[in-house]
Amino acid sequence: MIGLPLPYLQARFGNCTVAGVLDNGVGVDNEEQGRIIAVCRDPASGWAAAWPRFQHFD
C-alpha cells in the first residue's frame, strides 16, 4: 500500500510493516512524495472483500 496511514492499515490487516518512503530524488513535490510504502498481509476480511476497498483509479 502506498500513502495510507499505518494505523488505518494495521486495523485492517494482520501484519503491516513500512518498507520505505517514496522519494522522487529530485525534490519535486507531488501527491506521493514522502508517503510510506507499506507491505500488508492477512487482511482481516479476506482479500476478496478487502481489495475493492483499496482500489484507487484517479
PDB file of all heavy atoms in Angstrom, residues 12-46:
ATOM      1  N   ARG A  12      -6.770  -3.104   9.623  1.00  0.00           N
ATOM      2  CA  ARG A  12      -7.429  -3.894   8.592  1.00  0.00           C
ATOM      3  C   ARG A  12      -6.636  -5.116   8.136  1.00  0.00           C
ATOM      4  O   ARG A  12      -7.126  -5.918   7.353  1.00  0.00           O
ATOM      5  CB  ARG A  12      -7.741  -3.002   7.397  1.00  0.00           C
ATOM      6  CG  ARG A  12      -8.891  -2.057   7.714  1.00  0.00           C
ATOM      7  CD  ARG A  12      -8.866  -0.800   6.885  1.00  0.00           C
ATOM      8  NE  ARG A  12      -9.995   0.060   7.228  1.00  0.00           N
ATOM      9  CZ  ARG A  12     -10.039   0.865   8.275  1.00  0.00           C
ATOM     10  NH1 ARG A  12      -9.027   0.926   9.113  1.00  0.00           N
ATOM     11  NH2 ARG A  12     -11.104   1.609   8.511  1.00  0.00           N
ATOM     12  N   PHE A  13      -5.400  -5.239   8.612  1.00  0.00           N
ATOM     13  CA  PHE A  13      -4.546  -6.367   8.236  1.00  0.00           C
ATOM     14  C   PHE A  13      -3.910  -6.982   9.473  1.00  0.00           C
ATOM     15  O   PHE A  13      -3.678  -6.294  10.472  1.00  0.00           O
ATOM     16  CB  PHE A  13      -3.436  -5.897   7.286  1.00  0.00           C
ATOM     17  CG  PHE A  13      -3.937  -5.531   5.921  1.00  0.00           C
ATOM     18  CD1 PHE A  13      -4.377  -4.250   5.649  1.00  0.00           C
ATOM     19  CD2 PHE A  13      -3.980  -6.475   4.909  1.00  0.00           C
ATOM     20  CE1 PHE A  13      -4.848  -3.906   4.387  1.00  0.00           C
ATOM     21  CE2 PHE A  13      -4.443  -6.143   3.646  1.00  0.00           C
ATOM     22  CZ  PHE A  13      -4.879  -4.853   3.388  1.00  0.00           C
ATOM     23  N   GLY A  14      -3.594  -8.257   9.372  1.00  0.00           N
ATOM     24  CA  GLY A  14      -2.933  -8.941  10.474  1.00  0.00           C
ATOM     25  C   GLY A  14      -1.506  -8.470  10.681  1.00  0.00           C
ATOM     26  O   GLY A  14      -0.977  -8.510  11.783  1.00  0.00           O
ATOM     27  N   ASN A  15      -0.873  -8.002   9.584  1.00  0.00           N
ATOM     28  CA  ASN A  15       0.511  -7.561   9.676  1.00  0.00           C
ATOM     29  C   ASN A  15       0.784  -6.499   8.628  1.00  0.00           C
ATOM     30  O   ASN A  15       0.480  -6.697   7.455  1.00  0.00           O
ATOM     31  CB  ASN A  15       1.440  -8.764   9.460  1.00  0.00           C
ATOM     32  CG  ASN A  15       2.889  -8.392   9.563  1.00  0.00           C
ATOM     33  OD1 ASN A  15       3.416  -7.695   8.706  1.00  0.00           O
ATOM     34  ND2 ASN A  15       3.542  -8.862  10.607  1.00  0.00           N
ATOM     35  N   CYS A  16       1.331  -5.369   9.043  1.00  0.00           N
ATOM     36  CA  CYS A  16       1.756  -4.301   8.126  1.00  0.00           C
ATOM     37  C   CYS A  16       3.090  -3.747   8.614  1.00  0.00           C
ATOM     38  O   CYS A  16       3.246  -3.443   9.796  1.00  0.00           O
ATOM     39  CB  CYS A  16       0.753  -3.144   8.110  1.00  0.00           C
ATOM     40  SG  CYS A  16      -0.656  -3.417   7.065  1.00  0.00           S
ATOM     41  N   THR A  17       4.037  -3.635   7.692  1.00  0.00           N
ATOM     42  CA  THR A  17       5.333  -3.046   8.022  1.00  0.00           C
ATOM     43  C   THR A  17       5.691  -2.003   6.973  1.00  0.00           C
ATOM     44  O   THR A  17       5.295  -2.117   5.814  1.00  0.00           O
ATOM     45  CB  THR A  17       6.443  -4.110   8.073  1.00  0.00           C
ATOM     46  OG1 THR A  17       6.498  -4.789   6.824  1.00  0.00           O
ATOM     47  CG2 THR A  17       6.197  -5.114   9.182  1.00  0.00           C
ATOM     48  N   VAL A  18       6.428  -0.997   7.386  1.00  0.00           N
ATOM     49  CA  VAL A  18       6.878   0.043   6.468  1.00  0.00           C
ATOM     50  C   VAL A  18       8.104  -0.476   5.732  1.00  0.00           C
ATOM     51  O   VAL A  18       9.099  -0.850   6.337  1.00  0.00           O
ATOM     52  CB  VAL A  18       7.198   1.361   7.219  1.00  0.00           C
ATOM     53  CG1 VAL A  18       7.777   2.387   6.263  1.00  0.00           C
ATOM     54  CG2 VAL A  18       5.933   1.905   7.882  1.00  0.00           C
ATOM     55  N   ALA A  19       8.020  -0.504   4.390  1.00  0.00           N
ATOM     56  CA  ALA A  19       9.120  -0.976   3.566  1.00  0.00           C
ATOM     57  C   ALA A  19       9.985   0.171   3.063  1.00  0.00           C
ATOM     58  O   ALA A  19      11.119  -0.029   2.653  1.00  0.00           O
ATOM     59  CB  ALA A  19       8.584  -1.770   2.378  1.00  0.00           C
ATOM     60  N   GLY A  20       9.443   1.383   3.091  1.00  0.00           N
ATOM     61  CA  GLY A  20      10.196   2.531   2.608  1.00  0.00           C
ATOM     62  C   GLY A  20       9.325   3.763   2.541  1.00  0.00           C
ATOM     63  O   GLY A  20       8.168   3.759   2.960  1.00  0.00           O
ATOM     64  N   VAL A  21       9.916   4.826   2.022  1.00  0.00           N
ATOM     65  CA  VAL A  21       9.225   6.097   1.840  1.00  0.00           C
ATOM     66  C   VAL A  21       9.481   6.550   0.406  1.00  0.00           C
ATOM     67  O   VAL A  21      10.623   6.488  -0.070  1.00  0.00           O
ATOM     68  CB  VAL A  21       9.731   7.168   2.844  1.00  0.00           C
ATOM     69  CG1 VAL A  21       9.078   8.507   2.592  1.00  0.00           C
ATOM     70  CG2 VAL A  21       9.488   6.711   4.272  1.00  0.00           C
ATOM     71  N   LEU A  22       8.438   6.972  -0.276  1.00  0.00           N
ATOM     72  CA  LEU A  22       8.604   7.420  -1.659  1.00  0.00           C
ATOM     73  C   LEU A  22       9.393   8.717  -1.722  1.00  0.00           C
ATOM     74  O   LEU A  22       9.140   9.648  -0.969  1.00  0.00           O
ATOM     75  CB  LEU A  22       7.242   7.642  -2.315  1.00  0.00           C
ATOM     76  CG  LEU A  22       6.481   6.386  -2.668  1.00  0.00           C
ATOM     77  CD1 LEU A  22       5.098   6.738  -3.195  1.00  0.00           C
ATOM     78  CD2 LEU A  22       7.225   5.575  -3.688  1.00  0.00           C
ATOM     79  N   ASP A  23      10.360   8.752  -2.616  1.00  0.00           N
ATOM     80  CA  ASP A  23      11.170   9.938  -2.837  1.00  0.00           C
ATOM     81  C   ASP A  23      11.556   9.954  -4.306  1.00  0.00           C
ATOM     82  O   ASP A  23      12.237   9.044  -4.788  1.00  0.00           O
ATOM     83  CB  ASP A  23      12.418   9.911  -1.958  1.00  0.00           C
ATOM     84  CG  ASP A  23      13.282  11.150  -2.108  1.00  0.00           C
ATOM     85  OD1 ASP A  23      12.960  12.034  -2.934  1.00  0.00           O
ATOM     86  OD2 ASP A  23      14.291  11.227  -1.400  1.00  0.00           O
ATOM     87  N   ASN A  24      11.113  10.963  -5.042  1.00  0.00           N
ATOM     88  CA  ASN A  24      11.418  11.012  -6.473  1.00  0.00           C
ATOM     89  C   ASN A  24      12.875  11.393  -6.732  1.00  0.00           C
ATOM     90  O   ASN A  24      13.328  11.377  -7.878  1.00  0.00           O
ATOM     91  CB  ASN A  24      10.463  11.942  -7.217  1.00  0.00           C
ATOM     92  CG  ASN A  24      10.469  13.353  -6.698  1.00  0.00           C
ATOM     93  OD1 ASN A  24      11.484  13.862  -6.231  1.00  0.00           O
ATOM     94  ND2 ASN A  24       9.326  14.010  -6.785  1.00  0.00           N
ATOM     95  N   GLY A  25      13.607  11.762  -5.699  1.00  0.00           N
ATOM     96  CA  GLY A  25      15.036  12.009  -5.819  1.00  0.00           C
ATOM     97  C   GLY A  25      15.428  13.346  -6.417  1.00  0.00           C
ATOM     98  O   GLY A  25      16.610  13.629  -6.542  1.00  0.00           O
ATOM     99  N   VAL A  26      14.446  14.151  -6.792  1.00  0.00           N
ATOM    100  CA  VAL A  26      14.762  15.441  -7.398  1.00  0.00           C
ATOM    101  C   VAL A  26      14.081  16.600  -6.679  1.00  0.00           C
ATOM    102  O   VAL A  26      14.133  17.737  -7.147  1.00  0.00           O
ATOM    103  CB  VAL A  26      14.407  15.469  -8.908  1.00  0.00           C
ATOM    104  CG1 VAL A  26      15.310  14.541  -9.686  1.00  0.00           C
ATOM    105  CG2 VAL A  26      12.954  15.148  -9.139  1.00  0.00           C
ATOM    106  N   GLY A  27      13.433  16.310  -5.561  1.00  0.00           N
ATOM    107  CA  GLY A  27      12.818  17.368  -4.769  1.00  0.00           C
ATOM    108  C   GLY A  27      11.557  17.966  -5.364  1.00  0.00           C
ATOM    109  O   GLY A  27      11.112  19.026  -4.946  1.00  0.00           O
ATOM    110  N   VAL A  28      10.967  17.297  -6.350  1.00  0.00           N
ATOM    111  CA  VAL A  28       9.724  17.783  -6.940  1.00  0.00           C
ATOM    112  C   VAL A  28       8.570  17.291  -6.086  1.00  0.00           C
ATOM    113  O   VAL A  28       8.393  16.091  -5.887  1.00  0.00           O
ATOM    114  CB  VAL A  28       9.567  17.282  -8.394  1.00  0.00           C
ATOM    115  CG1 VAL A  28       8.229  17.705  -8.963  1.00  0.00           C
ATOM    116  CG2 VAL A  28      10.706  17.794  -9.250  1.00  0.00           C
ATOM    117  N   ASP A  29       7.787  18.227  -5.576  1.00  0.00           N
ATOM    118  CA  ASP A  29       6.664  17.866  -4.718  1.00  0.00           C
ATOM    119  C   ASP A  29       5.504  17.362  -5.567  1.00  0.00           C
ATOM    120  O   ASP A  29       5.160  17.947  -6.582  1.00  0.00           O
ATOM    121  CB  ASP A  29       6.232  19.076  -3.898  1.00  0.00           C
ATOM    122  CG  ASP A  29       5.261  18.712  -2.802  1.00  0.00           C
ATOM    123  OD1 ASP A  29       5.300  17.564  -2.320  1.00  0.00           O
ATOM    124  OD2 ASP A  29       4.446  19.574  -2.429  1.00  0.00           O
ATOM    125  N   ASN A  30       4.931  16.234  -5.147  1.00  0.00           N
ATOM    126  CA  ASN A  30       3.711  15.728  -5.764  1.00  0.00           C
ATOM    127  C   ASN A  30       2.917  15.014  -4.689  1.00  0.00           C
ATOM    128  O   ASN A  30       3.343  14.948  -3.534  1.00  0.00           O
ATOM    129  CB  ASN A  30       4.013  14.824  -6.969  1.00  0.00           C
ATOM    130  CG  ASN A  30       4.811  13.595  -6.606  1.00  0.00           C
ATOM    131  OD1 ASN A  30       4.666  13.045  -5.522  1.00  0.00           O
ATOM    132  ND2 ASN A  30       5.663  13.152  -7.502  1.00  0.00           N
ATOM    133  N   GLU A  31       1.777  14.451  -5.038  1.00  0.00           N
ATOM    134  CA  GLU A  31       0.904  13.892  -4.004  1.00  0.00           C
ATOM    135  C   GLU A  31       1.462  12.632  -3.351  1.00  0.00           C
ATOM    136  O   GLU A  31       1.027  12.273  -2.261  1.00  0.00           O
ATOM    137  CB  GLU A  31      -0.493  13.633  -4.556  1.00  0.00           C
ATOM    138  CG  GLU A  31      -0.561  12.631  -5.672  1.00  0.00           C
ATOM    139  CD  GLU A  31      -1.951  12.543  -6.284  1.00  0.00           C
ATOM    140  OE1 GLU A  31      -2.578  13.577  -6.502  1.00  0.00           O
ATOM    141  OE2 GLU A  31      -2.378  11.409  -6.533  1.00  0.00           O
ATOM    142  N   GLU A  32       2.417  11.964  -3.957  1.00  0.00           N
ATOM    143  CA  GLU A  32       3.006  10.768  -3.351  1.00  0.00           C
ATOM    144  C   GLU A  32       4.317  11.026  -2.622  1.00  0.00           C
ATOM    145  O   GLU A  32       4.745  10.213  -1.814  1.00  0.00           O
ATOM    146  CB  GLU A  32       3.229   9.684  -4.408  1.00  0.00           C
ATOM    147  CG  GLU A  32       1.972   8.935  -4.802  1.00  0.00           C
ATOM    148  CD  GLU A  32       1.207   9.669  -5.888  1.00  0.00           C
ATOM    149  OE1 GLU A  32       1.821  10.447  -6.626  1.00  0.00           O
ATOM    150  OE2 GLU A  32      -0.011   9.461  -5.988  1.00  0.00           O
ATOM    151  N   GLN A  33       4.976  12.104  -2.925  1.00  0.00           N
ATOM    152  CA  GLN A  33       6.287  12.396  -2.334  1.00  0.00           C
ATOM    153  C   GLN A  33       6.232  12.317  -0.805  1.00  0.00           C
ATOM    154  O   GLN A  33       5.398  12.944  -0.165  1.00  0.00           O
ATOM    155  CB  GLN A  33       6.766  13.784  -2.772  1.00  0.00           C
ATOM    156  CG  GLN A  33       8.110  14.195  -2.254  1.00  0.00           C
ATOM    157  CD  GLN A  33       9.275  13.454  -2.896  1.00  0.00           C
ATOM    158  OE1 GLN A  33       9.113  12.638  -3.763  1.00  0.00           O
ATOM    159  NE2 GLN A  33      10.453  13.738  -2.432  1.00  0.00           N
ATOM    160  N   GLY A  34       7.111  11.506  -0.221  1.00  0.00           N
ATOM    161  CA  GLY A  34       7.209  11.388   1.229  1.00  0.00           C
ATOM    162  C   GLY A  34       6.232  10.415   1.862  1.00  0.00           C
ATOM    163  O   GLY A  34       6.270  10.198   3.069  1.00  0.00           O
ATOM    164  N   ARG A  35       5.382   9.805   1.069  1.00  0.00           N
ATOM    165  CA  ARG A  35       4.414   8.859   1.632  1.00  0.00           C
ATOM    166  C   ARG A  35       5.069   7.507   1.871  1.00  0.00           C
ATOM    167  O   ARG A  35       6.011   7.110   1.188  1.00  0.00           O
ATOM    168  CB  ARG A  35       3.226   8.702   0.700  1.00  0.00           C
ATOM    169  CG  ARG A  35       2.465   9.998   0.582  1.00  0.00           C
ATOM    170  CD  ARG A  35       1.056   9.744   0.342  1.00  0.00           C
ATOM    171  NE  ARG A  35       0.343  11.025   0.252  1.00  0.00           N
ATOM    172  CZ  ARG A  35      -0.935  11.100   0.116  1.00  0.00           C
ATOM    173  NH1 ARG A  35      -1.654  10.011   0.041  1.00  0.00           N
ATOM    174  NH2 ARG A  35      -1.525  12.266   0.056  1.00  0.00           N
ATOM    175  N   ILE A  36       4.528   6.781   2.841  1.00  0.00           N
ATOM    176  CA  ILE A  36       5.090   5.477   3.186  1.00  0.00           C
ATOM    177  C   ILE A  36       4.680   4.407   2.173  1.00  0.00           C
ATOM    178  O   ILE A  36       3.625   4.504   1.538  1.00  0.00           O
ATOM    179  CB  ILE A  36       4.709   5.018   4.604  1.00  0.00           C
ATOM    180  CG1 ILE A  36       3.211   4.726   4.703  1.00  0.00           C
ATOM    181  CG2 ILE A  36       5.180   5.982   5.652  1.00  0.00           C
ATOM    182  CD1 ILE A  36       2.835   3.900   5.914  1.00  0.00           C
ATOM    183  N   ILE A  37       5.530   3.407   2.046  1.00  0.00           N
ATOM    184  CA  ILE A  37       5.230   2.187   1.305  1.00  0.00           C
ATOM    185  C   ILE A  37       5.091   1.104   2.360  1.00  0.00           C
ATOM    186  O   ILE A  37       6.041   0.823   3.098  1.00  0.00           O
ATOM    187  CB  ILE A  37       6.370   1.822   0.337  1.00  0.00           C
ATOM    188  CG1 ILE A  37       6.624   2.969  -0.635  1.00  0.00           C
ATOM    189  CG2 ILE A  37       6.059   0.515  -0.390  1.00  0.00           C
ATOM    190  CD1 ILE A  37       7.949   2.844  -1.376  1.00  0.00           C
ATOM    191  N   ALA A  38       3.905   0.530   2.473  1.00  0.00           N
ATOM    192  CA  ALA A  38       3.652  -0.492   3.486  1.00  0.00           C
ATOM    193  C   ALA A  38       3.393  -1.837   2.821  1.00  0.00           C
ATOM    194  O   ALA A  38       2.697  -1.919   1.808  1.00  0.00           O
ATOM    195  CB  ALA A  38       2.458  -0.115   4.352  1.00  0.00           C
ATOM    196  N   VAL A  39       3.965  -2.868   3.398  1.00  0.00           N
ATOM    197  CA  VAL A  39       3.686  -4.235   2.968  1.00  0.00           C
ATOM    198  C   VAL A  39       2.722  -4.806   3.995  1.00  0.00           C
ATOM    199  O   VAL A  39       3.045  -4.887   5.187  1.00  0.00           O
ATOM    200  CB  VAL A  39       4.976  -5.080   2.891  1.00  0.00           C
ATOM    201  CG1 VAL A  39       4.653  -6.522   2.536  1.00  0.00           C
ATOM    202  CG2 VAL A  39       5.945  -4.466   1.892  1.00  0.00           C
ATOM    203  N   CYS A  40       1.535  -5.177   3.526  1.00  0.00           N
ATOM    204  CA  CYS A  40       0.478  -5.658   4.430  1.00  0.00           C
ATOM    205  C   CYS A  40       0.070  -7.076   4.049  1.00  0.00           C
ATOM    206  O   CYS A  40      -0.053  -7.395   2.866  1.00  0.00           O
ATOM    207  CB  CYS A  40      -0.722  -4.740   4.368  1.00  0.00           C
ATOM    208  SG  CYS A  40      -0.360  -3.043   4.864  1.00  0.00           S
ATOM    209  N   ARG A  41      -0.156  -7.886   5.062  1.00  0.00           N
ATOM    210  CA  ARG A  41      -0.555  -9.281   4.861  1.00  0.00           C
ATOM    211  C   ARG A  41      -1.747  -9.617   5.736  1.00  0.00           C
ATOM    212  O   ARG A  41      -1.995  -8.955   6.730  1.00  0.00           O
ATOM    213  CB  ARG A  41       0.611 -10.203   5.212  1.00  0.00           C
ATOM    214  CG  ARG A  41       1.801 -10.052   4.287  1.00  0.00           C
ATOM    215  CD  ARG A  41       2.952 -10.961   4.738  1.00  0.00           C
ATOM    216  NE  ARG A  41       4.042 -10.934   3.795  1.00  0.00           N
ATOM    217  CZ  ARG A  41       5.014 -10.023   3.791  1.00  0.00           C
ATOM    218  NH1 ARG A  41       5.010  -9.053   4.686  1.00  0.00           N
ATOM    219  NH2 ARG A  41       5.971 -10.071   2.898  1.00  0.00           N
ATOM    220  N   ASP A  42      -2.436 -10.669   5.360  1.00  0.00           N
ATOM    221  CA  ASP A  42      -3.540 -11.223   6.150  1.00  0.00           C
ATOM    222  C   ASP A  42      -4.659 -10.203   6.404  1.00  0.00           C
ATOM    223  O   ASP A  42      -4.916  -9.816   7.542  1.00  0.00           O
ATOM    224  CB  ASP A  42      -3.031 -11.782   7.487  1.00  0.00           C
ATOM    225  CG  ASP A  42      -1.956 -12.833   7.304  1.00  0.00           C
ATOM    226  OD1 ASP A  42      -2.080 -13.645   6.374  1.00  0.00           O
ATOM    227  OD2 ASP A  42      -0.986 -12.823   8.087  1.00  0.00           O
ATOM    228  N   PRO A  43      -5.377  -9.792   5.341  1.00  0.00           N
ATOM    229  CA  PRO A  43      -6.488  -8.867   5.555  1.00  0.00           C
ATOM    230  C   PRO A  43      -7.535  -9.493   6.468  1.00  0.00           C
ATOM    231  O   PRO A  43      -7.863 -10.681   6.339  1.00  0.00           O
ATOM    232  CB  PRO A  43      -7.040  -8.625   4.150  1.00  0.00           C
ATOM    233  CG  PRO A  43      -6.560  -9.764   3.326  1.00  0.00           C
ATOM    234  CD  PRO A  43      -5.273 -10.219   3.947  1.00  0.00           C
ATOM    235  N   ALA A  44      -8.039  -8.701   7.388  1.00  0.00           N
ATOM    236  CA  ALA A  44      -8.994  -9.197   8.379  1.00  0.00           C
ATOM    237  C   ALA A  44     -10.253  -9.758   7.731  1.00  0.00           C
ATOM    238  O   ALA A  44     -10.838 -10.712   8.233  1.00  0.00           O
ATOM    239  CB  ALA A  44      -9.346  -8.079   9.367  1.00  0.00           C
ATOM    240  N   SER A  45     -10.654  -9.197   6.595  1.00  0.00           N
ATOM    241  CA  SER A  45     -11.897  -9.628   5.951  1.00  0.00           C
ATOM    242  C   SER A  45     -11.663 -10.554   4.763  1.00  0.00           C
ATOM    243  O   SER A  45     -12.603 -10.899   4.059  1.00  0.00           O
ATOM    244  CB  SER A  45     -12.676  -8.399   5.486  1.00  0.00           C
ATOM    245  OG  SER A  45     -11.906  -7.646   4.565  1.00  0.00           O
ATOM    246  N   GLY A  46     -10.418 -10.946   4.511  1.00  0.00           N
ATOM    247  CA  GLY A  46     -10.091 -11.742   3.330  1.00  0.00           C
ATOM    248  C   GLY A  46      -9.866 -10.828   2.132  1.00  0.00           C
ATOM    249  O   GLY A  46     -10.385  -9.720   2.074  1.00  0.00           O
TER     250      GLY A  46
END
